[in-house]
PDB file of all heavy atoms in Angstrom:
ATOM      1  N   GLY A  11      80.778  43.107  34.174  1.00 98.00           N
ATOM      2  CA  GLY A  11      80.978  41.802  34.801  1.00 98.00           C
ATOM      3  C   GLY A  11      82.203  41.742  35.684  1.00 98.00           C
ATOM      4  O   GLY A  11      82.380  40.764  36.429  1.00 98.00           O
ATOM      5  N   ARG A  12      83.060  42.758  35.618  1.00 98.00           N
ATOM      6  CA  ARG A  12      84.280  42.769  36.440  1.00 98.00           C
ATOM      7  C   ARG A  12      84.279  43.904  37.463  1.00 98.00           C
ATOM      8  O   ARG A  12      84.821  43.759  38.558  1.00 98.00           O
ATOM      9  CB  ARG A  12      85.523  42.896  35.553  1.00 98.00           C
ATOM     10  CG  ARG A  12      85.678  41.775  34.541  1.00 98.00           C
ATOM     11  CD  ARG A  12      87.033  41.860  33.817  1.00 98.00           C
ATOM     12  NE  ARG A  12      87.182  43.083  33.040  1.00 98.00           N
ATOM     13  CZ  ARG A  12      88.166  43.957  33.206  1.00 98.00           C
ATOM     14  NH1 ARG A  12      89.082  43.762  34.134  1.00 98.00           N
ATOM     15  NH2 ARG A  12      88.224  45.038  32.436  1.00 98.00           N
ATOM     16  N   PHE A  13      83.712  45.035  37.091  1.00 98.00           N
ATOM     17  CA  PHE A  13      83.702  46.215  37.953  1.00 98.00           C
ATOM     18  C   PHE A  13      82.293  46.471  38.479  1.00 98.00           C
ATOM     19  O   PHE A  13      81.307  46.214  37.776  1.00 98.00           O
ATOM     20  CB  PHE A  13      84.153  47.455  37.184  1.00 98.00           C
ATOM     21  CG  PHE A  13      85.604  47.466  36.791  1.00 98.00           C
ATOM     22  CD1 PHE A  13      86.422  46.351  36.919  1.00 98.00           C
ATOM     23  CD2 PHE A  13      86.169  48.639  36.286  1.00 98.00           C
ATOM     24  CE1 PHE A  13      87.754  46.379  36.548  1.00 98.00           C
ATOM     25  CE2 PHE A  13      87.504  48.693  35.917  1.00 98.00           C
ATOM     26  CZ  PHE A  13      88.293  47.559  36.039  1.00 98.00           C
ATOM     27  N   THR A  14      82.217  47.011  39.685  1.00 98.00           N
ATOM     28  CA  THR A  14      80.938  47.380  40.279  1.00 98.00           C
ATOM     29  C   THR A  14      81.044  48.756  40.924  1.00 98.00           C
ATOM     30  O   THR A  14      81.917  48.977  41.762  1.00 98.00           O
ATOM     31  CB  THR A  14      80.501  46.361  41.343  1.00 98.00           C
ATOM     32  OG1 THR A  14      80.437  45.049  40.771  1.00 98.00           O
ATOM     33  CG2 THR A  14      79.125  46.730  41.901  1.00 98.00           C
ATOM     34  N   ILE A  15      80.153  49.653  40.508  1.00 98.00           N
ATOM     35  CA  ILE A  15      80.118  50.988  41.086  1.00 98.00           C
ATOM     36  C   ILE A  15      79.007  51.049  42.131  1.00 98.00           C
ATOM     37  O   ILE A  15      77.956  50.419  41.973  1.00 98.00           O
ATOM     38  CB  ILE A  15      79.901  52.064  39.997  1.00 98.00           C
ATOM     39  CG1 ILE A  15      80.075  53.465  40.587  1.00 98.00           C
ATOM     40  CG2 ILE A  15      78.545  51.905  39.315  1.00 98.00           C
ATOM     41  CD1 ILE A  15      80.091  54.572  39.518  1.00 98.00           C
ATOM     42  N   SER A  16      79.267  51.791  43.192  1.00 98.00           N
ATOM     43  CA  SER A  16      78.258  51.964  44.231  1.00 98.00           C
ATOM     44  C   SER A  16      78.403  53.343  44.850  1.00 98.00           C
ATOM     45  O   SER A  16      79.462  53.972  44.723  1.00 98.00           O
ATOM     46  CB  SER A  16      78.398  50.876  45.305  1.00 98.00           C
ATOM     47  OG  SER A  16      79.676  50.929  45.920  1.00 98.00           O
ATOM     48  N   ARG A  17      77.349  53.812  45.496  1.00 96.00           N
ATOM     49  CA  ARG A  17      77.412  55.102  46.174  1.00 96.00           C
ATOM     50  C   ARG A  17      76.644  55.010  47.479  1.00 96.00           C
ATOM     51  O   ARG A  17      75.626  54.312  47.560  1.00 96.00           O
ATOM     52  CB  ARG A  17      76.869  56.233  45.295  1.00 96.00           C
ATOM     53  CG  ARG A  17      75.391  56.168  44.994  1.00 96.00           C
ATOM     54  CD  ARG A  17      74.981  57.201  43.942  1.00 96.00           C
ATOM     55  NE  ARG A  17      74.914  58.559  44.469  1.00 96.00           N
ATOM     56  CZ  ARG A  17      74.716  59.643  43.697  1.00 96.00           C
ATOM     57  NH1 ARG A  17      74.571  59.500  42.387  1.00 96.00           N
ATOM     58  NH2 ARG A  17      74.657  60.844  44.249  1.00 96.00           N
ATOM     59  N   VAL A  18      77.139  55.717  48.473  1.00 95.00           N
ATOM     60  CA  VAL A  18      76.459  55.827  49.758  1.00 95.00           C
ATOM     61  C   VAL A  18      76.274  57.304  50.020  1.00 95.00           C
ATOM     62  O   VAL A  18      77.200  58.008  50.448  1.00 95.00           O
ATOM     63  CB  VAL A  18      77.256  55.160  50.895  1.00 95.00           C
ATOM     64  CG1 VAL A  18      76.489  55.283  52.208  1.00 95.00           C
ATOM     65  CG2 VAL A  18      77.542  53.700  50.573  1.00 95.00           C
ATOM     66  N   ASN A  19      75.097  57.791  49.710  1.00 91.00           N
ATOM     67  CA  ASN A  19      74.853  59.231  49.816  1.00 91.00           C
ATOM     68  C   ASN A  19      75.057  59.738  51.250  1.00 91.00           C
ATOM     69  O   ASN A  19      75.572  60.838  51.454  1.00 91.00           O
ATOM     70  CB  ASN A  19      73.442  59.555  49.342  1.00 91.00           C
ATOM     71  CG  ASN A  19      73.276  59.345  47.851  1.00 91.00           C
ATOM     72  OD1 ASN A  19      74.239  59.458  47.078  1.00 91.00           O
ATOM     73  ND2 ASN A  19      72.066  59.037  47.426  1.00 91.00           N
ATOM     74  N   ALA A  20      74.676  58.942  52.221  1.00 93.00           N
ATOM     75  CA  ALA A  20      74.797  59.370  53.617  1.00 93.00           C
ATOM     76  C   ALA A  20      76.246  59.566  54.034  1.00 93.00           C
ATOM     77  O   ALA A  20      76.530  60.323  54.969  1.00 93.00           O
ATOM     78  CB  ALA A  20      74.120  58.352  54.526  1.00 93.00           C
ATOM     79  N   LYS A  21      77.160  58.873  53.336  1.00 93.00           N
ATOM     80  CA  LYS A  21      78.583  59.000  53.659  1.00 93.00           C
ATOM     81  C   LYS A  21      79.338  59.813  52.618  1.00 93.00           C
ATOM     82  O   LYS A  21      80.556  59.948  52.706  1.00 93.00           O
ATOM     83  CB  LYS A  21      79.210  57.610  53.784  1.00 93.00           C
ATOM     84  CG  LYS A  21      78.672  56.797  54.952  1.00 93.00           C
ATOM     85  CD  LYS A  21      79.442  55.492  55.106  1.00 93.00           C
ATOM     86  CE  LYS A  21      78.943  54.723  56.329  1.00 93.00           C
ATOM     87  NZ  LYS A  21      79.702  53.451  56.515  1.00 93.00           N
ATOM     88  N   ASN A  22      78.603  60.321  51.625  1.00 94.00           N
ATOM     89  CA  ASN A  22      79.219  61.147  50.572  1.00 94.00           C
ATOM     90  C   ASN A  22      80.376  60.435  49.887  1.00 94.00           C
ATOM     91  O   ASN A  22      81.435  61.023  49.640  1.00 94.00           O
ATOM     92  CB  ASN A  22      79.688  62.487  51.151  1.00 94.00           C
ATOM     93  CG  ASN A  22      78.548  63.288  51.726  1.00 94.00           C
ATOM     94  OD1 ASN A  22      77.462  63.320  51.150  1.00 94.00           O
ATOM     95  ND2 ASN A  22      78.763  63.917  52.866  1.00 94.00           N
ATOM     96  N   THR A  23      80.164  59.169  49.585  1.00 96.00           N
ATOM     97  CA  THR A  23      81.213  58.383  48.947  1.00 96.00           C
ATOM     98  C   THR A  23      80.681  57.612  47.744  1.00 96.00           C
ATOM     99  O   THR A  23      79.512  57.216  47.706  1.00 96.00           O
ATOM    100  CB  THR A  23      81.851  57.379  49.917  1.00 96.00           C
ATOM    101  OG1 THR A  23      80.841  56.501  50.414  1.00 96.00           O
ATOM    102  CG2 THR A  23      82.540  58.073  51.066  1.00 96.00           C
ATOM    103  N   VAL A  24      81.563  57.433  46.785  1.00 97.00           N
ATOM    104  CA  VAL A  24      81.305  56.589  45.629  1.00 97.00           C
ATOM    105  C   VAL A  24      82.491  55.633  45.512  1.00 97.00           C
ATOM    106  O   VAL A  24      83.639  56.053  45.682  1.00 97.00           O
ATOM    107  CB  VAL A  24      81.185  57.416  44.338  1.00 97.00           C
ATOM    108  CG1 VAL A  24      80.976  56.505  43.130  1.00 97.00           C
ATOM    109  CG2 VAL A  24      80.042  58.399  44.451  1.00 97.00           C
ATOM    110  N   SER A  25      82.209  54.382  45.247  1.00 98.00           N
ATOM    111  CA  SER A  25      83.274  53.388  45.185  1.00 98.00           C
ATOM    112  C   SER A  25      83.235  52.626  43.870  1.00 98.00           C
ATOM    113  O   SER A  25      82.201  52.582  43.190  1.00 98.00           O
ATOM    114  CB  SER A  25      83.134  52.398  46.346  1.00 98.00           C
ATOM    115  OG  SER A  25      83.246  53.058  47.588  1.00 98.00           O
ATOM    116  N   LEU A  26      84.373  52.055  43.529  1.00 98.00           N
ATOM    117  CA  LEU A  26      84.481  51.217  42.337  1.00 98.00           C
ATOM    118  C   LEU A  26      85.237  49.955  42.737  1.00 98.00           C
ATOM    119  O   LEU A  26      86.443  50.016  43.014  1.00 98.00           O
ATOM    120  CB  LEU A  26      85.206  51.948  41.215  1.00 98.00           C
ATOM    121  CG  LEU A  26      85.259  51.199  39.883  1.00 98.00           C
ATOM    122  CD1 LEU A  26      83.858  51.106  39.260  1.00 98.00           C
ATOM    123  CD2 LEU A  26      86.223  51.882  38.913  1.00 98.00           C
ATOM    124  N   GLN A  27      84.535  48.847  42.788  1.00 98.00           N
ATOM    125  CA  GLN A  27      85.160  47.556  43.055  1.00 98.00           C
ATOM    126  C   GLN A  27      85.611  46.960  41.734  1.00 98.00           C
ATOM    127  O   GLN A  27      84.790  46.785  40.829  1.00 98.00           O
ATOM    128  CB  GLN A  27      84.171  46.612  43.746  1.00 98.00           C
ATOM    129  CG  GLN A  27      84.728  45.230  44.019  1.00 98.00           C
ATOM    130  CD  GLN A  27      85.864  45.239  45.029  1.00 98.00           C
ATOM    131  OE1 GLN A  27      85.805  45.935  46.033  1.00 98.00           O
ATOM    132  NE2 GLN A  27      86.911  44.452  44.754  1.00 98.00           N
ATOM    133  N   MET A  28      86.907  46.690  41.628  1.00 98.00           N
ATOM    134  CA  MET A  28      87.472  46.202  40.385  1.00 98.00           C
ATOM    135  C   MET A  28      88.041  44.805  40.612  1.00 98.00           C
ATOM    136  O   MET A  28      88.985  44.635  41.399  1.00 98.00           O
ATOM    137  CB  MET A  28      88.570  47.147  39.888  1.00 98.00           C
ATOM    138  CG  MET A  28      88.107  48.592  39.751  1.00 98.00           C
ATOM    139  SD  MET A  28      89.350  49.667  38.998  1.00 98.00           S
ATOM    140  CE  MET A  28      90.627  49.617  40.253  1.00 98.00           C
ATOM    141  N   ASN A  29      87.466  43.830  39.931  1.00 98.00           N
ATOM    142  CA  ASN A  29      87.915  42.445  40.034  1.00 98.00           C
ATOM    143  C   ASN A  29      88.460  41.967  38.694  1.00 98.00           C
ATOM    144  O   ASN A  29      88.205  42.585  37.657  1.00 98.00           O
ATOM    145  CB  ASN A  29      86.757  41.547  40.476  1.00 98.00           C
ATOM    146  CG  ASN A  29      86.214  41.916  41.838  1.00 98.00           C
ATOM    147  OD1 ASN A  29      86.939  42.369  42.726  1.00 98.00           O
ATOM    148  ND2 ASN A  29      84.918  41.729  42.021  1.00 98.00           N
ATOM    149  N   SER A  30      89.185  40.862  38.738  1.00 98.00           N
ATOM    150  CA  SER A  30      89.744  40.261  37.509  1.00 98.00           C
ATOM    151  C   SER A  30      90.462  41.317  36.667  1.00 98.00           C
ATOM    152  O   SER A  30      90.236  41.421  35.454  1.00 98.00           O
ATOM    153  CB  SER A  30      88.624  39.596  36.700  1.00 98.00           C
ATOM    154  OG  SER A  30      87.964  38.613  37.456  1.00 98.00           O
ATOM    155  N   LEU A  31      91.300  42.078  37.296  1.00 98.00           N
ATOM    156  CA  LEU A  31      91.979  43.179  36.613  1.00 98.00           C
ATOM    157  C   LEU A  31      92.910  42.659  35.522  1.00 98.00           C
ATOM    158  O   LEU A  31      93.517  41.594  35.637  1.00 98.00           O
ATOM    159  CB  LEU A  31      92.742  44.029  37.614  1.00 98.00           C
ATOM    160  CG  LEU A  31      91.852  44.976  38.431  1.00 98.00           C
ATOM    161  CD1 LEU A  31      92.563  45.452  39.680  1.00 98.00           C
ATOM    162  CD2 LEU A  31      91.429  46.162  37.576  1.00 98.00           C
ATOM    163  N   LYS A  32      92.984  43.453  34.462  1.00 98.00           N
ATOM    164  CA  LYS A  32      93.812  43.137  33.300  1.00 98.00           C
ATOM    165  C   LYS A  32      94.843  44.237  33.102  1.00 98.00           C
ATOM    166  O   LYS A  32      94.601  45.395  33.500  1.00 98.00           O
ATOM    167  CB  LYS A  32      92.937  43.026  32.055  1.00 98.00           C
ATOM    168  CG  LYS A  32      91.799  42.024  32.160  1.00 98.00           C
ATOM    169  CD  LYS A  32      90.930  42.074  30.923  1.00 98.00           C
ATOM    170  CE  LYS A  32      89.770  41.085  31.008  1.00 98.00           C
ATOM    171  NZ  LYS A  32      88.906  41.139  29.804  1.00 98.00           N
ATOM    172  N   PRO A  33      95.947  43.937  32.444  1.00 97.00           N
ATOM    173  CA  PRO A  33      96.940  44.995  32.173  1.00 97.00           C
ATOM    174  C   PRO A  33      96.342  46.190  31.445  1.00 97.00           C
ATOM    175  O   PRO A  33      96.764  47.332  31.684  1.00 97.00           O
ATOM    176  CB  PRO A  33      97.984  44.269  31.313  1.00 97.00           C
ATOM    177  CG  PRO A  33      97.917  42.853  31.770  1.00 97.00           C
ATOM    178  CD  PRO A  33      96.450  42.604  32.053  1.00 97.00           C
ATOM    179  N   GLU A  34      95.367  45.952  30.594  1.00 97.00           N
ATOM    180  CA  GLU A  34      94.742  47.064  29.859  1.00 97.00           C
ATOM    181  C   GLU A  34      93.858  47.948  30.736  1.00 97.00           C
ATOM    182  O   GLU A  34      93.367  48.977  30.277  1.00 97.00           O
ATOM    183  CB  GLU A  34      93.932  46.542  28.664  1.00 97.00           C
ATOM    184  CG  GLU A  34      92.954  45.437  28.995  1.00 97.00           C
ATOM    185  CD  GLU A  34      93.520  44.057  28.707  1.00 97.00           C
ATOM    186  OE1 GLU A  34      94.702  43.805  29.047  1.00 97.00           O
ATOM    187  OE2 GLU A  34      92.767  43.221  28.159  1.00 97.00           O
ATOM    188  N   ASP A  35      93.669  47.577  31.998  1.00 98.00           N
ATOM    189  CA  ASP A  35      92.960  48.443  32.934  1.00 98.00           C
ATOM    190  C   ASP A  35      93.892  49.496  33.539  1.00 98.00           C
ATOM    191  O   ASP A  35      93.434  50.380  34.279  1.00 98.00           O
ATOM    192  CB  ASP A  35      92.345  47.622  34.068  1.00 98.00           C
ATOM    193  CG  ASP A  35      91.241  46.695  33.592  1.00 98.00           C
ATOM    194  OD1 ASP A  35      90.422  47.122  32.760  1.00 98.00           O
ATOM    195  OD2 ASP A  35      91.190  45.540  34.072  1.00 98.00           O
ATOM    196  N   THR A  36      95.171  49.395  33.246  1.00 98.00           N
ATOM    197  CA  THR A  36      96.138  50.362  33.764  1.00 98.00           C
ATOM    198  C   THR A  36      95.810  51.769  33.276  1.00 98.00           C
ATOM    199  O   THR A  36      95.678  51.997  32.074  1.00 98.00           O
ATOM    200  CB  THR A  36      97.566  49.981  33.327  1.00 98.00           C
ATOM    201  OG1 THR A  36      97.917  48.729  33.942  1.00 98.00           O
ATOM    202  CG2 THR A  36      98.565  51.045  33.739  1.00 98.00           C
ATOM    203  N   ALA A  37      95.670  52.693  34.211  1.00 98.00           N
ATOM    204  CA  ALA A  37      95.292  54.066  33.881  1.00 98.00           C
ATOM    205  C   ALA A  37      95.228  54.892  35.159  1.00 98.00           C
ATOM    206  O   ALA A  37      95.300  54.335  36.266  1.00 98.00           O
ATOM    207  CB  ALA A  37      93.925  54.101  33.178  1.00 98.00           C
TER     208      ALA A  37
END
């Protein structure tokens, strides 16, 4: 519900959209 993963094979990229970040996401 906070993070979204996506990939664009044509661009050889994978992304992670991170919303509503919390201190425990630190890493």
Side-chain angles (χ1 to χ4, degrees):
R12 301 188 297 123
F13 291 10
T14 303
I15 188 171
S16 60
R17 67 189 284 173
V18 181
N19 291 332
K21 294 186 177 181
N22 299 320
T23 59
V24 177
S25 299
L26 185 68
Q27 178 66 42
M28 305 186 295
N29 298 327
S30 302
L31 283 162
K32 304 175 181 179
E34 51 263 44
D35 294 318
T36 295

